[in-house]
Amino acid sequence: MPQPSKRLEKIPPYLFAEMARIKREAIEKGADVIDLGIGDPDLPTPIPVIEALAQSARNPVTHRYDETPRGWTSFIEAAARFYKREFGVELDANAAFTQVIGSKEGLAHLAWAYLDPGDTCIVPNPAYTVYKVNALMAGADVFEVPLHEGNGFLPELRDIPTDTARAAKLFYVCYPNNPTGATATPEFYRELVEFCRTYDILAVNDMAYGTVCYDGFKNPTILQVPGGQDVAIEFHSLSKMYNMTGWRLGFACGNADAVATLQRLKSNIDSKAFPAVSEAGAHALDHVSNADTIALYERRRDNLVDGLRSIGWNVTKPKAAFYIWARVPVQGMSSAEFAAALLEKAHVLVIPGNGYGSEGEGFVRMSLTLMGDKDGERFAEAVKRIAASGLVPQTAGV
Ligand code: MLT
């Protein structure tokens, strides 16, 4: 067999493929694993969305290629209505949107659409691995901006060297943030727009968790800020919003040139989503509320955070996304060592923070999407097992 490409050799195995392997091994050894790993909603897709799919799948029109320029018309129009309703921003459905096969696909292909060897791409550290990995595979240099508790997990733009800014073409951010659960402010977006305008950079905002917010909080969007639509593209996903990870459906919106550039690349790679899935997605965007799911995550967040605090692990309560980003409570233990010890002693799976970049070292991430939990009993069991493992000293935490 021929060797895989050199570009593929540059990248590590996908973090969640590794985590799935580790989990499989523990289960094969007989462990009852409580999986706080991947952020994959455990509740089923709402019934009205499934019914919309079934109905659309019976229409033979949906069995053929979607030959529209940017995505199935009813889906794109519903996305434009959703965006206006949710974020108060009116965007042109014909020019400012494109459909993606899940936001991961769109975020990855955007790097390929823009970056050549020698270009620079700015990414946060820690971050969802897809931004950096695809920039590297496209041959670009990657500049990582650290996210710290001290800066609210927002990049410090003034720390980016001018030469780097001049060489950069893309600047990825993600709010509500994966993995830290941090949220953005309009002030931050204003600064980012100014920075990107000054250096001619496309800002890329991953908003997969855009509607997963608690306590009445609403995360702002970069397209709400003056000038945002000139310099930014945003990615939205139905995965986390409507428990549709397996359906692979999302959209990008924002600067019309950026949207068209992404679609130009995509039209040479994929042939768009199954139109019946697009129609079901349109139904979700127009008619389905995710309020009950959010209320469930909010209860789980409170139970898990309060439970961990009660055993001496002083973790932060996030305002959005469904992740708890917690400092490793044992002095001198790395993220990976702590995660491995927790799996071994408590059969609780968490993600080591360094899986999201070097700045994630010293943290672990716990997801609120826990398969098999009904009324918080699996979260309570996780806390009990963590306490019994002896891995949390009484005064641990932030
Ligand atoms: C995560 O757990 O970071 C995400 O769920 C992974 C993904 O959505 O691809």
Side-chain angles (χ1 to χ4, degrees):
M1 279 298 283
Q3 288 299 304
S5 70
K6 294 215 167 25
R7 85 172 66 85
L8 196 58
E9 279 165 16
K10 277 193 209 166
I11 62 165
Y14 185 52
L15 174 63
F16 292 106
E18 276 301 282
M19 296 311 299
R21 186 185 57 74
I22 290 167
K23 180 170 99 173
R24 248 192 333 268
E25 280 175 11
I27 291 171
E28 274 163 19
K29 283 188 205 145
D32 167 28
V33 175
I34 297 184
D35 181 1
L36 304 179
I38 194 165
D40 187 358
D42 51 299
L43 293 186
T45 304
I47 296 289
V49 184
I50 296 169
E51 279 167 359
L53 171 72
Q55 195 179 336
S56 300
R58 282 192 204 99
N59 178 356
V61 168
T62 67
H63 302 173
R64 308 191 67 225
Y65 287 126
D66 171 353
E67 291 190 326
T68 62
R70 303 267 173 72
W72 198 247
T73 306
S74 63
F75 179 78
I76 293 292
E77 287 176 351
R81 283 191 291 275
F82 163 85
Y83 202 84
K84 174 147 194 300
R85 200 173 63 240
E86 197 65 34
F87 302 113
V89 179
E90 186 141 22
L91 299 170
D92 180 356
N94 293 314
F97 286 83
T98 194
Q99 192 171 340
V100 290
I101 305 175
S103 53
K104 179 181 183 184
E105 177 273 310
L107 289 157
H109 279 138
L110 192 79
W112 290 94
Y114 274 94
L115 299 171
D116 286 315
D119 291 334
T120 294
C121 178
I122 303 176
V123 302
N125 178 352
Y128 184 41
T129 55
V130 168
Y131 325 138
K132 177 176 170 181
V133 156
N134 282 281
L136 287 177
M137 284 205 290
D141 299 323
V142 169
F143 182 84
E144 297 182 85
V145 279
L147 306 184
H148 294 301
E149 277 166 315
N151 55 25
F153 298 105
L154 296 167
E156 302 269 17
L157 305 183
R158 61 175 173 273
D159 292 345
I160 299 172
T162 306
D163 286 352
T164 300
R166 285 209 188 98
K169 286 173 95 177
L170 299 181
F171 192 151
Y172 282 89
V173 294
C174 170
Y175 295 101
N177 187 255
N178 177 15
T180 66
T183 55
T185 59
E187 295 70 39
F188 167 69
Y189 283 142
R190 274 195 279 276
E191 279 175 35
L192 184 60
V193 166
E194 191 47 40
F195 182 87
C196 289
R197 195 202 297 283
T198 304
Y199 295 107
D200 195 21
I201 298 171
L202 176 63
V204 187
N205 193 14
D206 174 0
M207 284 199 74
Y209 305 89
T211 61
V212 183
C213 298
Y214 311 118
D215 310 320
F217 173 77
K218 242 182 175 0
N219 195 77
T221 86
I222 193 168
L223 302 181
Q224 292 169 332
V225 167
Q229 293 170 37
D230 298 334
V231 301
I233 184 169
E234 264 182 12
F235 286 83
H236 291 261
S237 167
L238 277 73
S239 292
K240 319 284 167 161
M241 196 164 27
Y242 300 120
N243 313 329
M244 291 175 71
T245 43
W247 297 56
R248 309 316 305 143
L249 193 59
F251 62 89
C253 59
N255 180 272
D257 287 340
V259 162
T261 301
L262 174 60
Q263 188 48 47
R264 194 165 127 210
L265 177 82
K266 277 171 59 56
S267 63
N268 285 286
I269 293 177
D270 64 65
S271 299
K272 304 203 182 74
F274 174 25
V277 164
S278 307
E279 294 229 343
H283 185 86
L285 289 167
D286 272 339
H287 301 294
V288 178
S289 156
N290 67 347
D292 288 349
T293 311
I294 301 302
L296 173 73
Y297 292 146
E298 195 171 304
R299 286 197 299 279
R300 287 178 173 179
R301 174 201 66 168
D302 291 345
N303 288 340
L304 182 58
V305 169
D306 295 347
L308 293 173
R309 285 176 179 172
S310 76
I311 63 167
W313 194 357
N314 188 17
V315 302
T316 302
K317 202 175 262 195
K319 277 198 289 189
F322 39 55
Y323 302 119
I324 309 297
W325 185 244
R327 211 174 258 293
V328 170
V330 188
Q331 284 276 330
M333 214 182 216
S334 72
S335 302
E337 286 164 350
F338 178 73
L342 210 54
L343 186 60
E344 193 191 313
K345 295 191 174 174
H347 298 160
V348 173
L349 181 86
V350 300
I351 309 274
N354 65 341
Y356 297 90
S358 53
E359 299 289 336
E361 182 50 75
F363 290 84
V364 290
R365 196 197 73 174
M366 289 171 256
S367 174
L368 299 173
T369 59
L370 174 52
M371 201 71 201
D373 183 73
K374 287 200 176 60
D375 296 311
E377 72 289 349
R378 288 292 275 174
F379 285 95
E381 171 71 13
V383 172
K384 213 164 98 194
R385 289 195 204 169
I386 293 170
S389 73
L391 284 165
V392 179
Q394 277 306 295
T395 53
V398 288

mmCIF file of all heavy atoms in Angstrom, residues 14 16 37-40 104 128 178 209 240 323 356 365, ligand 1:
data_model
loop_
_atom_site.group_PDB
_atom_site.id
_atom_site.type_symbol
_atom_site.label_atom_id
_atom_site.label_comp_id
_atom_site.label_asym_id
_atom_site.label_seq_id
_atom_site.Cartn_x
_atom_site.Cartn_y
_atom_site.Cartn_z
ATOM 1 N N TYR A 14 -7.659 11.770 16.109
ATOM 2 C CA TYR A 14 -8.741 12.642 16.568
ATOM 3 C C TYR A 14 -9.022 12.356 18.050
ATOM 4 O O TYR A 14 -9.198 11.210 18.459
ATOM 5 C CB TYR A 14 -9.993 12.407 15.716
ATOM 6 C CG TYR A 14 -11.130 13.354 16.033
ATOM 7 C CD1 TYR A 14 -10.935 14.733 16.060
ATOM 8 C CD2 TYR A 14 -12.407 12.877 16.298
ATOM 9 C CE1 TYR A 14 -11.976 15.605 16.342
ATOM 10 C CE2 TYR A 14 -13.461 13.742 16.580
ATOM 11 C CZ TYR A 14 -13.232 15.102 16.609
ATOM 12 O OH TYR A 14 -14.266 15.963 16.902
ATOM 13 N N PHE A 16 -11.512 12.543 20.060
ATOM 14 C CA PHE A 16 -12.659 11.766 20.526
ATOM 15 C C PHE A 16 -12.628 10.320 20.041
ATOM 16 O O PHE A 16 -13.267 9.460 20.636
ATOM 17 C CB PHE A 16 -13.966 12.482 20.174
ATOM 18 C CG PHE A 16 -14.093 13.750 20.966
ATOM 19 C CD1 PHE A 16 -13.895 14.979 20.367
ATOM 20 C CD2 PHE A 16 -14.324 13.704 22.320
ATOM 21 C CE1 PHE A 16 -13.963 16.144 21.111
ATOM 22 C CE2 PHE A 16 -14.386 14.855 23.073
ATOM 23 C CZ PHE A 16 -14.215 16.078 22.471
ATOM 24 N N GLY A 37 -17.501 12.438 28.814
ATOM 25 C CA GLY A 37 -16.535 12.801 27.778
ATOM 26 C C GLY A 37 -17.128 13.675 26.686
ATOM 27 O O GLY A 37 -17.349 14.872 26.887
ATOM 28 N N ILE A 38 -17.404 13.065 25.538
ATOM 29 C CA ILE A 38 -17.822 13.852 24.373
ATOM 30 C C ILE A 38 -19.146 14.582 24.629
ATOM 31 O O ILE A 38 -20.011 14.072 25.350
ATOM 32 C CB ILE A 38 -17.921 12.956 23.112
ATOM 33 C CG1 ILE A 38 -18.013 13.797 21.833
ATOM 34 C CG2 ILE A 38 -19.093 11.978 23.218
ATOM 35 C CD1 ILE A 38 -17.746 13.012 20.552
ATOM 36 N N GLY A 39 -19.265 15.760 24.055
ATOM 37 C CA GLY A 39 -20.498 16.547 24.189
ATOM 38 C C GLY A 39 -21.507 16.110 23.139
ATOM 39 O O GLY A 39 -21.639 16.752 22.102
ATOM 40 N N ASP A 40 -22.181 15.008 23.436
ATOM 41 C CA ASP A 40 -23.115 14.431 22.468
ATOM 42 C C ASP A 40 -24.462 14.271 23.167
ATOM 43 O O ASP A 40 -24.622 13.357 23.985
ATOM 44 C CB ASP A 40 -22.553 13.067 22.014
ATOM 45 C CG ASP A 40 -23.357 12.470 20.884
ATOM 46 O OD1 ASP A 40 -24.365 13.069 20.468
ATOM 47 O OD2 ASP A 40 -22.974 11.376 20.415
ATOM 48 N N LYS A 104 -18.751 21.068 12.110
ATOM 49 C CA LYS A 104 -17.371 20.558 12.051
ATOM 50 C C LYS A 104 -16.874 20.540 10.600
ATOM 51 O O LYS A 104 -15.767 21.009 10.303
ATOM 52 C CB LYS A 104 -17.339 19.139 12.633
ATOM 53 C CG LYS A 104 -15.993 18.463 12.625
ATOM 54 C CD LYS A 104 -16.127 17.068 13.214
ATOM 55 C CE LYS A 104 -14.812 16.331 13.314
ATOM 56 N NZ LYS A 104 -15.000 14.943 13.791
ATOM 57 N N TYR A 128 -11.391 23.565 20.413
ATOM 58 C CA TYR A 128 -11.863 22.421 19.619
ATOM 59 C C TYR A 128 -10.774 22.156 18.579
ATOM 60 O O TYR A 128 -10.314 23.092 17.905
ATOM 61 C CB TYR A 128 -13.188 22.833 18.986
ATOM 62 C CG TYR A 128 -13.936 21.801 18.197
ATOM 63 C CD1 TYR A 128 -14.037 20.478 18.628
ATOM 64 C CD2 TYR A 128 -14.600 22.161 17.017
ATOM 65 C CE1 TYR A 128 -14.761 19.545 17.899
ATOM 66 C CE2 TYR A 128 -15.338 21.236 16.294
ATOM 67 C CZ TYR A 128 -15.411 19.937 16.729
ATOM 68 O OH TYR A 128 -16.134 19.019 16.010
ATOM 69 N N ASN A 178 -16.214 26.045 23.783
ATOM 70 C CA ASN A 178 -15.797 24.671 24.008
ATOM 71 C C ASN A 178 -14.276 24.715 24.021
ATOM 72 O O ASN A 178 -13.700 25.204 23.044
ATOM 73 C CB ASN A 178 -16.297 23.786 22.851
ATOM 74 C CG ASN A 178 -15.846 22.354 22.988
ATOM 75 O OD1 ASN A 178 -15.409 21.926 24.045
ATOM 76 N ND2 ASN A 178 -15.933 21.605 21.897
ATOM 77 N N TYR A 209 -22.727 26.179 20.235
ATOM 78 C CA TYR A 209 -23.455 26.183 21.520
ATOM 79 C C TYR A 209 -24.233 27.487 21.700
ATOM 80 O O TYR A 209 -24.566 27.867 22.831
ATOM 81 C CB TYR A 209 -22.465 25.974 22.678
ATOM 82 C CG TYR A 209 -21.653 24.718 22.488
ATOM 83 C CD1 TYR A 209 -20.458 24.731 21.781
ATOM 84 C CD2 TYR A 209 -22.124 23.498 22.962
ATOM 85 C CE1 TYR A 209 -19.739 23.572 21.546
ATOM 86 C CE2 TYR A 209 -21.418 22.322 22.739
ATOM 87 C CZ TYR A 209 -20.218 22.380 22.028
ATOM 88 O OH TYR A 209 -19.524 21.218 21.801
ATOM 89 N N LYS A 240 -26.322 20.405 18.758
ATOM 90 C CA LYS A 240 -26.404 20.600 20.208
ATOM 91 C C LYS A 240 -27.748 21.230 20.568
ATOM 92 O O LYS A 240 -28.256 21.053 21.656
ATOM 93 C CB LYS A 240 -25.265 21.496 20.695
ATOM 94 C CG LYS A 240 -23.911 21.216 20.034
ATOM 95 C CD LYS A 240 -23.222 19.988 20.554
ATOM 96 C CE LYS A 240 -22.072 19.597 19.650
ATOM 97 N NZ LYS A 240 -21.085 18.754 20.192
ATOM 98 N N TYR A 323 -20.426 22.204 29.307
ATOM 99 C CA TYR A 323 -19.171 21.659 29.826
ATOM 100 C C TYR A 323 -18.770 22.314 31.145
ATOM 101 O O TYR A 323 -18.933 23.514 31.322
ATOM 102 C CB TYR A 323 -18.046 21.894 28.809
ATOM 103 C CG TYR A 323 -18.353 21.278 27.466
ATOM 104 C CD1 TYR A 323 -18.449 22.059 26.326
ATOM 105 C CD2 TYR A 323 -18.574 19.901 27.358
ATOM 106 C CE1 TYR A 323 -18.752 21.492 25.098
ATOM 107 C CE2 TYR A 323 -18.879 19.325 26.135
ATOM 108 C CZ TYR A 323 -18.963 20.123 25.005
ATOM 109 O OH TYR A 323 -19.274 19.557 23.798
ATOM 110 N N TYR A 356 -7.125 19.636 24.264
ATOM 111 C CA TYR A 356 -7.568 20.838 23.539
ATOM 112 C C TYR A 356 -6.435 21.829 23.332
ATOM 113 O O TYR A 356 -6.664 22.950 22.881
ATOM 114 C CB TYR A 356 -8.697 21.528 24.315
ATOM 115 C CG TYR A 356 -9.912 20.655 24.442
ATOM 116 C CD1 TYR A 356 -10.049 19.795 25.521
ATOM 117 C CD2 TYR A 356 -10.888 20.651 23.457
ATOM 118 C CE1 TYR A 356 -11.131 18.946 25.621
ATOM 119 C CE2 TYR A 356 -11.974 19.813 23.553
ATOM 120 C CZ TYR A 356 -12.090 18.968 24.630
ATOM 121 O OH TYR A 356 -13.163 18.126 24.719
ATOM 122 N N ARG A 365 -12.255 18.343 31.354
ATOM 123 C CA ARG A 365 -13.590 18.800 30.937
ATOM 124 C C ARG A 365 -14.611 17.706 31.194
ATOM 125 O O ARG A 365 -14.364 16.537 30.901
ATOM 126 C CB ARG A 365 -13.578 19.152 29.446
ATOM 127 C CG ARG A 365 -14.774 19.990 29.035
ATOM 128 C CD ARG A 365 -14.997 19.986 27.536
ATOM 129 N NE ARG A 365 -15.522 18.720 27.067
ATOM 130 C CZ ARG A 365 -15.913 18.479 25.816
ATOM 131 N NH1 ARG A 365 -15.815 19.423 24.905
ATOM 132 N NH2 ARG A 365 -16.393 17.295 25.466
HETATM 133 C C1 MLT B 1 -16.876 17.933 22.011
HETATM 134 O O1 MLT B 1 -17.167 17.106 22.856
HETATM 135 O O2 MLT B 1 -15.917 18.723 22.119
HETATM 136 C C2 MLT B 1 -17.726 18.004 20.775
HETATM 137 O O3 MLT B 1 -18.950 17.470 21.040
HETATM 138 C C3 MLT B 1 -17.172 17.270 19.646
HETATM 139 C C4 MLT B 1 -17.966 17.564 18.412
HETATM 140 O O4 MLT B 1 -19.053 18.133 18.470
HETATM 141 O O5 MLT B 1 -17.471 17.224 17.342
#
